[in-house]
Amino acid sequence: MHTLSESIAEWAYELKLNVIPREVINQVKMALVDTLSVAVSGSLTPVADVLRKSVLAFSTRSGATIIGDFQSVYPAEIAAQVNSSFAHALDFDDNSYAGFVHASAIIIPAALAISQETGASGEDFLVAVIAGLESELLVGEMTHGLLYKKGWWTTGVLGAIGATVASSRLLGLTQKQISNAIGLAVSGTGGIKACFGTDAKPLLAGMTSANAMRHVKLAKLGATGPLNVFESENGFFNLFNEGVSDILGKNQLGSDWKIIEPGLDIKEIPVCLSSHAAVEAVRALKKEFHFNAQQVKSVVCDVPPIVIENLIYELPETPQEAQFSLTFPIAVTLIYDRFLLKHLAREVILNPVTTSLMKKVSMYSSAAWHSERIKKYPEGADIEIHLTNGTIMKQFVGMPQGSREKSKRWEMLVEKVADCMAEVVLDADRDEFIQKIREIETLKHIGQVLPQMNHPSYVAKRNG
């Protein structure tokens, strides 16, 4: 009987593009566009400046590139670490309810860096990313959400699996070596949700991506890891997940695709997904009843317990805190027609108008959120808006647009890319980037798929 790591290794090793459903391929292409776009905007954050300074000494003559710096190249591990942190810096990257995890931001930078370093084809890159995503989401689904509820930062814990599998494919490991690499990676994985709202979150994302590559390279040289890393008495499920697991889920590999269901949720606004349903409900009421922010007396949000656990900042003072707040995105939605990246700024957060509105927002969790409803709508929201004239408006949203309306995802994503790359990437370069990703399996070499950041306003700012 194969262990879970051996089953994943066998499946990932044998995976070919022609057996992957078109829906899976399309979903992963959207994840590629989304992740690399938010990494562009993430490269403009303060933590990005810290990262760039920290890796200058690692510049080399051949290797992979870092977003915003195409003149220098770095070892794959370094490029993956920096680009992964960029992708997660704004918490604008995709989520999946298979483990409550940000998967793409860890896996894609690792796969891209290795592909650039080795000259891999677009098809090899795409299949590796798919193998990594599906393996990670499968294990995430096996945890039944307990891992996240216990306080583990699942993006770091589970990200080690996905990035290891993707990197193993691209570096040509054997099945046995992939199993060992997974054992090494999972043995050393970790992360706690105390990192929310701080630079630790994106920085640890980058370290997870880079460490996966290091484990893969060690396994290729002959290093071993525990093949029963998931099932052992002192292994993953017992220590991280109180012994809870659906180990027979390994038989679903390649047949019951987690990339499709529960899928990858593309974020429409740059804050924690726990707030998105509530924000969408507020936006719907505003559109239907045509009221303005000055008319709002209170906003009452009835949400699942996990939303309250995640959105811990009632009056945030920094962009990082605002990402884990319900009051802030609701206030922004009441003030502006659309929540854009430029609103995730101190001047907006600390504006007296914003602060006043945030104080009018409250949340609680009623008995209506029973286990079956939570399973169907993990981060849904029942919203009541009370106006000063006595009017009360109600709206329920179970799943936000990025999760619910799959037919509109590309439309939403194109708008999001434009926001992420505004005044950084020229429109023609942005469109070329999207087209390259949509045709990525046809590329002989992955080359430079990252968008060029040549917008005059950005170049002027960069050159200071």
Side-chain angles (χ1 to χ4, degrees):
M1 176 89 55
H2 279 352
T3 64
L4 177 55
S5 66
E6 289 173 318
S7 295
I8 291 172
E10 180 180 16
W11 175 79
Y13 180 82
E14 295 177 351
L15 185 63
K16 299 290 188 294
L17 185 64
N18 61 5
V19 302
I20 300 173
R22 177 54 53 182
E23 187 178 357
V24 171
I25 293 171
N26 288 339
Q27 178 61 70
V28 173
K29 286 181 178 179
M30 283 192 283
L32 289 168
V33 171
D34 181 63
T35 302
L36 297 176
S37 298
V38 299
V40 168
S41 50
S43 73
L44 309 178
T45 60
V47 71
D49 291 332
V50 173
L51 277 165
R52 272 188 287 266
K53 292 173 184 175
S54 73
V55 301
L56 285 175
F58 294 97
S59 179
T60 183
R61 293 187 178 182
S62 63
T65 54
I66 289 172
I67 291 172
D69 179 13
F70 300 124
Q71 306 305 313
S72 305
V73 291
Y74 298 86
E77 295 96 318
I78 298 299
Q81 178 178 342
V82 174
N83 288 337
S84 177
S85 291
F86 287 176
H88 199 48
L90 291 165
D91 219 274
F92 208 4
D93 48 308
D94 64 39
N95 281 60
S96 178
Y97 286 119
F100 287 86
V101 65
H102 294 264
S104 298
I106 309 294
I107 296 168
I108 290 172
L112 179 61
I114 293 178
S115 296
Q116 288 182 327
E117 192 173 65
T118 62
S121 70
E123 180 176 328
D124 289 339
F125 169 72
L126 179 62
V127 174
V129 171
I130 290 172
L133 280 168
E134 189 64 19
S135 300
E136 177 175 340
L137 298 184
L138 174 78
V139 178
E141 188 87 329
M142 288 179 175
T143 68
H144 297 288
L146 181 60
L147 181 73
Y148 190 78
K149 291 177 184 177
K150 284 176 60 62
W152 290 106
W153 179 52
T154 45
T155 296
V157 175
L158 298 171
I161 300 165
T164 295
V165 171
S167 300
S168 295
R169 280 273 319 199
L170 288 163
L171 286 173
L173 271 65
T174 65
Q175 288 186 39
K176 186 63 175 291
Q177 288 171 335
I178 296 173
S179 299
N180 280 314
I182 294 171
L184 286 167
V186 175
S187 294
T189 192
I192 56 176
K193 284 165 67 176
C195 67
F196 284 16
T198 73
D199 287 340
K201 198 166 187 279
L203 291 173
L204 289 172
M207 292 176 191
T208 300
S209 188
N211 285 338
M213 249 186 283
R214 295 184 179 106
H215 290 128
V216 168
K217 290 184 175 181
L218 287 169
K220 189 171 184 179
L221 291 171
T224 63
L227 301 184
N228 64 342
V229 70
F230 293 105
E231 300 90 347
S232 169
E233 181 180 350
N234 293 314
F236 176 88
F237 285 116
N238 276 339
L239 295 182
F240 282 115
N241 215 54
E242 295 183 353
V244 174
S245 71
D246 179 12
I247 205 67
L248 294 179
K250 66 185 180 183
N251 298 325
Q252 299 172 357
L253 277 166
S255 59
D256 183 12
W257 289 85
K258 307 307 175 188
I259 291 173
I260 298 174
E261 185 60 45
L264 298 170
D265 302 319
I266 305 295
K267 286 188 174 184
E268 189 176 10
I269 57 175
V271 288
C272 178
L273 192 64
S274 290
S275 67
H276 285 218
V279 166
E280 195 166 306
V282 171
R283 190 170 57 203
L285 290 172
K286 187 179 176 184
K287 182 178 180 180
E288 180 179 356
F289 294 99
H290 306 287
F291 60 89
N292 58 46
Q294 289 73 31
Q295 295 173 284
V296 174
K297 180 180 179 181
S298 64
V299 181
V300 182
C301 309
D302 182 9
V303 295
I306 196 168
V307 173
I308 296 174
E309 293 168 14
N310 286 342
L311 306 181
I312 58 177
Y313 295 99
E314 293 183 14
L315 290 174
E317 297 182 358
T318 68
Q320 292 102 321
E321 291 179 355
Q323 290 168 333
F324 295 93
S325 166
L326 184 62
T327 60
F328 175 71
I330 286 179
V332 169
T333 304
L334 290 170
I335 297 169
Y336 303 99
D337 290 333
R338 184 181 169 205
F339 189 157
L340 299 173
L341 269 170
K342 66 182 180 181
H343 298 136
L344 192 64
R346 276 183 178 272
E347 55 266 29
V348 176
I349 296 166
L350 300 178
N351 185 293
V353 175
T354 310
T355 302
S356 175
L357 280 169
M358 287 195 288
K359 291 177 179 178
K360 296 179 180 180
V361 179
S362 62
M363 64 176 168
Y364 73 106
S365 188
S366 74
W369 293 103
H370 51 78
S371 59
E372 287 302 311
R373 193 182 191 213
I374 290 173
K375 185 176 180 180
K376 187 175 182 180
Y377 306 117
E379 295 174 307
D382 279 303
I383 301 298
E384 282 189 10
I385 296 182
H386 298 243
L387 301 184
T388 53
N389 65 5
T391 300
I392 300 175
M393 299 161 290
K394 299 181 180 182
Q395 181 73 39
F396 168 73
V397 171
M399 301 288 279
Q401 180 175 307
S403 307
R404 186 182 68 247
E405 299 183 45
K406 293 184 179 181
S407 62
K408 295 184 178 180
R409 280 182 171 182
W410 269 112
E411 179 183 337
M412 184 190 81
L413 183 54
V414 169
E415 291 183 2
K416 177 177 176 178
V417 173
D419 185 26
C420 286
M421 297 187 181
E423 297 188 6
V424 178
V425 177
L426 294 169
D427 290 354
D429 290 334
R430 180 194 67 212
D431 295 343
E432 181 184 0
F433 156 71
I434 294 174
Q435 192 59 32
K436 275 186 179 180
I437 298 297
R438 298 193 78 157
E439 300 174 351
I440 198 162
E441 67 267 44
T442 67
L443 299 181
K444 292 183 178 179
H445 302 287
I446 199 70
Q448 188 52 269
V449 297
L450 295 171
Q452 297 286 332
M453 296 166 66
N454 288 330
H455 193 286
S457 64
Y458 174 71
V459 172
K461 186 184 298 183
R462 183 179 62 197
N463 295 338

